[in-house]
Each structure stands twice: as structure tokens, then as C-alpha cells.
Amino acid sequence: MRLREIFGTNLRRLRHASGLSQEELAHRAGINRNYVGLLERAANSPTLDTIERLAEELAVDPVQFFEKPSGR
Amino acid sequence: MRLREIFGTNLRRLRHASGLSQEELAHRAGINRNYVGLLERAANSPTLDTIERLAEELAVDPVQFFEKPSGR
């Protein structure tokens, strides 16, 4: 499983757990509204700074984005 | 501690553990020789794809780049 896929799968799961829509999360993190969808579909490679902003808005530890879904 | 600092500190620690120089790691990961040093000093924000290549060359789980040094 590519790291993009691990990240995207975890991003979607953690966003759902937070109750935020893709648009709400994008707005809060200051990124493009379509970009969250691209990341969840593993269609783009975010920078570490973007990953940090997403973690802050979801109130999660960034390490949670990188845990393999099968291992949970 | 900013995520860049956590990443950079872990990158340096894991690179030392592998016995590779910054130049050797850069060459194997196909990135600029100076870029590894920038990342270890938290002076740049790498993409997820670069993080994946570095993890592959160091033979570590990417999650290890995001564990807080104080928690180890």
C-alpha cells in the first residue's frame, strides 16, 4: 500500500470521526476545497506543512495519518 | 515542537542508525544532496512522496518519522 493511500484512508477516517465535511476541513486548514478530496483519493502528495495543518484542525497526532489501516 | 522538527530529528536519527551519510541517502532516494540536510534542520517541507522514498531507502516504517523524540 502506497503511503499516499495510507494517508488518504486515514485522513478520510479521521475527518469523518471529527464530523467535518471536506469543504469545512479545507476552509479551516486554509487549503483549496477540492484538495482534501484529492488527498483522500491518494491523487496528490501533500507537504509536511499541509499535513501539520490538517492534523491541527482535526485535533489528532500526525502519527495517526501514517498508521496502516489493516493494523488498527 | 513543529512537525518539521519532529521529522528532521527522526530523519537524522534513523539515517545515523542506517550508517548512511546525507549524500549517500540523497543519492539512493534520488533527491538533491543538500536537501537531506535541509530536511534534518527543519528548513524545508517535503512531500509525502519524498517521505516515502526516504523511508524505503532507510528501510523504516514512515510512522517512525512522526514519533515524538521525547516519547521514545
Side-chain angles (χ1 to χ4, degrees):
Chain A
M1 195 175 192
R2 287 289 310 274
L3 190 56
R4 286 187 186 196
E5 296 172 88
I6 293 171
F7 177 82
T9 300
N10 283 320
L11 175 60
R12 175 170 282 137
R13 178 178 57 78
L14 294 164
R15 179 178 61 76
H16 284 169
S18 77
L20 292 176
S21 68
Q22 289 184 346
E23 188 171 1
E24 287 167 332
L25 176 58
H27 179 71
R28 293 185 187 201
I31 61 180
N32 186 280
R33 58 184 289 186
N34 297 315
Y35 193 53
V36 173
L38 289 175
L39 295 181
E40 292 187 356
R41 294 193 301 280
N44 209 302
S45 177
T47 66
L48 201 54
D49 289 354
T50 296
I51 293 167
E52 182 172 43
R53 284 202 299 279
L54 290 167
E56 285 170 353
E57 294 306 327
L58 292 172
V60 299
D61 189 313
V63 80
Q64 293 182 254
F65 287 136
F66 297 96
E67 291 167 351
K68 288 183 188 62
S70 57
R72 296 186 65 86
Chain B
M1 195 174 192
R2 286 289 309 275
L3 190 56
R4 286 187 187 196
E5 296 172 87
I6 293 171
F7 177 83
T9 300
N10 283 319
L11 176 59
R12 176 170 283 138
R13 178 178 57 79
L14 294 164
R15 179 179 60 76
H16 283 169
S18 77
L20 292 176
S21 67
Q22 289 184 346
E23 186 171 2
E24 287 168 333
L25 176 57
H27 179 71
R28 292 186 187 201
I31 61 182
N32 185 279
R33 58 184 290 185
N34 297 315
Y35 194 53
V36 173
L38 289 176
L39 295 181
E40 292 186 357
R41 294 194 302 279
N44 208 302
S45 177
T47 66
L48 202 53
D49 289 354
T50 296
I51 293 167
E52 183 172 42
R53 285 202 298 278
L54 290 167
E56 285 170 353
E57 294 307 326
L58 292 172
V60 299
D61 189 314
V63 80
Q64 292 181 254
F65 287 136
F66 298 96
E67 291 167 350
K68 288 183 189 61
S70 58
R72 296 186 64 85

